[in-house]
Amino acid sequence: MPSIKLASRIQRARESLTVAFSARAKAMSAEGRDVISLAAGEPDFDTPADIREAAHQAIHAGHTHYTQVEGIPELREAICRKFSRDNALAYEPSQVTVSTGGKQVIFNALMATLEPGDEVIIQAPYWVSYPDIVLLFGGEPVIVQTAAADGFLMTPGQLEQAITPRTRWIILNSPSNPTGAMYRAGDFSALGEVLRRHPDVWIMTDDIYETIVYDRETFVSFAQAVPDLFDRTLTVNGLSKSHAMTGWRIGYGAGDATLIRAMNKIQGQSTLHPCSIAQWAAVEALTGSRDSFRPMVESFAKRRDATVAAVDAIEGLQCFVPSGAFYLFISIARQLEMKSAGGAVLGTDHDWVMALLEEEGVALVPGSAFGTGGYCRLSFAAADGELAEACRRIARFSDGLRP
């Protein structure tokens, strides 16, 4: 049988390594192996009861039909109120779109705006999907490598150097996946000084981890910190992380009405609209009690502290302490070029992560998946006992390394 001819664009994108390592861990578990997977970026909490009940009520009320492409009016109005209440940002419903997860918001925006050869500035470490979505639409990711010494934040000088006449977007993610680094108002203001000199560059800010911040930090969105660039900013958010609603697939974006209309046109020819039931659940998430996710964040904070202490006690490993999200970005550079107890040569962070998975049954993700080699990412969105046992296994793996 002849094989189908695939479009060249599909060759430009990679498969997600976070998905790949999670899938490998699940396959090993199905084989009867004892595996602790800390690879996936998903809260281990159930969706709060009031949100689940709202979905139940929506079903019985008959809200099971097609909705507006851009989302039901009740949800877009709730999103506008959320932006006003939490971020001091004033949007009209016509400036809001609701999609099947935050990823689709990003996908629609880049599809609507990129021509072949257009450039998108992305800081590394980055969420794995940013560069590949850019590549799918013929764009060119311009990767700015940040450093732990700078808090894994892009500096104004780095931004200025990265901008060219082909630059269409800069994508900012705060708090960050995978580092948990967070931009403060002053950091955004400094980047804003650069962006004012380049009026053709638009800003996409991914705020998906907005509610998961620690140490009494105050989250600030880019458009809030740099209000004169509000009209050039697409603010992306969703409910997956904040309300433990990963499977419900509700994300939203707010920005220039012309851009939003173009994104809705694309969505209308692809998925049409997000699940109607999930949309009504999202209304409750945004308008109901705000107490439901606070215990989750408090639990994450305790897990962060315990896991940082356990990992930092292991010789050859060093954690970057996150200000938000639920990941540890761990430097393993001092353990590379060594040999594991099982005989694996650890030439790269990928080798290190694979050896840890095969020999100790702990699934992490290599830093190279996020554009920064010599690191791995550990999700501490897992039960306390699993985290403690995973750290014991990582320590045992490290103790077994030899030159």
Side-chain angles (χ1 to χ4, degrees):
M1 293 290 292
S3 59
I4 190 168
K5 183 179 179 181
L6 299 177
S8 60
R9 72 177 67 89
I10 200 66
Q11 306 301 327
R12 304 190 84 204
R14 306 163 299 173
E15 293 186 8
S16 168
L17 281 180
T18 54
V19 173
F21 275 90
S22 295
R24 175 59 183 151
K26 289 178 182 177
M28 290 173 63
S29 294
E31 295 166 1
R33 299 278 300 275
D34 178 17
V35 175
I36 300 173
S37 181
L38 305 178
E42 178 174 32
D44 61 318
F45 292 82
D46 290 332
T47 303
D50 60 325
I51 299 172
R52 286 180 277 142
E53 178 58 26
H56 187 231
Q57 292 178 9
I59 293 171
H60 286 282
H63 296 312
T64 55
H65 302 278
Y66 290 134
T67 77
Q68 293 88 341
V69 169
E70 63 272 23
I72 59 175
E74 293 85 350
L75 179 52
R76 286 181 288 122
E77 289 166 3
I79 290 167
C80 290
R81 291 196 296 273
K82 175 261 179 263
F83 276 122
S84 176
R85 177 191 69 218
D86 298 343
N87 311 111
L89 296 175
Y91 291 106
E92 297 294 328
S94 62
Q95 296 174 285
V96 172
T97 185
V98 184
S99 297
T100 307
K103 183 181 288 189
Q104 190 183 20
V105 178
I106 298 167
F107 194 95
N108 289 348
L110 295 179
M111 186 177 187
T113 57
L114 290 184
E115 299 285 0
D118 284 347
E119 295 174 351
V120 178
I121 296 172
I122 302 167
Q123 72 173 64
Y126 47 68
W127 178 49
V128 293
S129 292
Y130 295 142
D132 292 287
I133 296 174
V134 171
L135 289 167
L136 278 172
F137 299 123
E140 297 296 334
V142 175
I143 307 302
V144 174
Q145 190 68 58
T146 63
D150 295 322
F152 285 121
L153 302 178
M154 187 187 306
T155 67
Q158 287 179 309
L159 174 58
E160 184 71 68
Q161 188 173 12
I163 293 174
T164 77
R166 297 304 303 267
T167 305
R168 294 297 303 276
W169 288 95
I170 174 176
I171 300 178
L172 298 168
N173 176 211
S174 174
S176 160
N177 175 6
T179 65
M182 188 165 73
Y183 285 91
R184 281 72 176 177
D187 301 317
F188 278 148
S189 294
L191 296 181
E193 289 290 336
V194 176
L195 290 164
R196 287 187 189 96
R197 298 194 289 272
H198 301 277
D200 293 330
V201 179
W202 281 56
I203 304 96
M204 184 186 302
T205 176
D206 183 348
D207 297 353
I208 196 73
Y209 294 95
E210 170 184 3
T211 64
I212 305 174
V213 297
Y214 310 117
D215 304 323
R216 298 184 179 180
E217 290 272 11
T218 300
F219 170 85
V220 62
S221 191
F222 180 87
Q224 179 183 5
V226 194
D228 61 303
L229 297 184
F230 173 87
D231 292 336
R232 287 164 52 191
T233 302
L234 176 67
T235 303
V236 181
N237 211 322
L239 302 175
S240 292
K241 318 300 182 177
S242 60
H243 292 78
M245 293 178 69
T246 51
W248 299 75
R249 309 310 302 136
I250 293 292
Y252 53 88
D256 174 76
T258 300
L259 172 62
I260 296 298
R261 283 195 298 272
M263 293 165 62
N264 290 337
K265 181 186 293 187
I266 291 166
Q267 186 160 292
Q269 298 296 345
S270 56
T271 59
L272 195 62
H273 60 77
C275 169
S276 61
I277 300 158
Q279 289 188 63
W280 283 103
V283 172
E284 173 63 24
L286 291 173
T287 61
S289 171
R290 306 189 70 200
D291 294 332
S292 58
F293 60 78
R294 289 194 177 99
M296 181 173 70
V297 177
E298 290 170 1
S299 178
F300 286 153
K302 293 176 182 177
R303 295 175 186 180
R304 178 200 68 162
D305 294 343
T307 310
V308 166
V311 172
D312 275 347
I314 300 171
E315 184 176 356
L317 301 183
Q318 184 177 7
C319 286
F320 176 80
V321 180
S323 297
F326 40 70
Y327 310 105
L328 296 187
F329 206 54
I330 304 168
S331 173
I332 60 173
R334 289 166 55 197
Q335 293 191 353
L336 298 184
E337 304 303 331
M338 301 184 80
K339 184 179 289 188
S340 73
V345 177
L346 311 181
T348 66
D349 54 6
H350 190 280
D351 298 334
W352 189 97
V353 168
M354 282 302 300
L356 177 68
L357 177 58
E358 297 294 340
E359 297 178 25
E360 292 290 349
V362 177
L364 308 180
V365 185
S368 53
F370 309 99
T372 304
Y375 285 83
C376 67
R377 189 195 75 174
L378 178 156
S379 170
F380 53 85
D384 293 355
E386 284 191 329
L387 288 170
E389 175 59 21
C391 289
R392 283 191 288 270
R393 296 184 188 188
I394 295 169
R396 187 166 62 207
F397 177 80
S398 298
D399 289 342
L401 298 181
R402 297 293 180 267

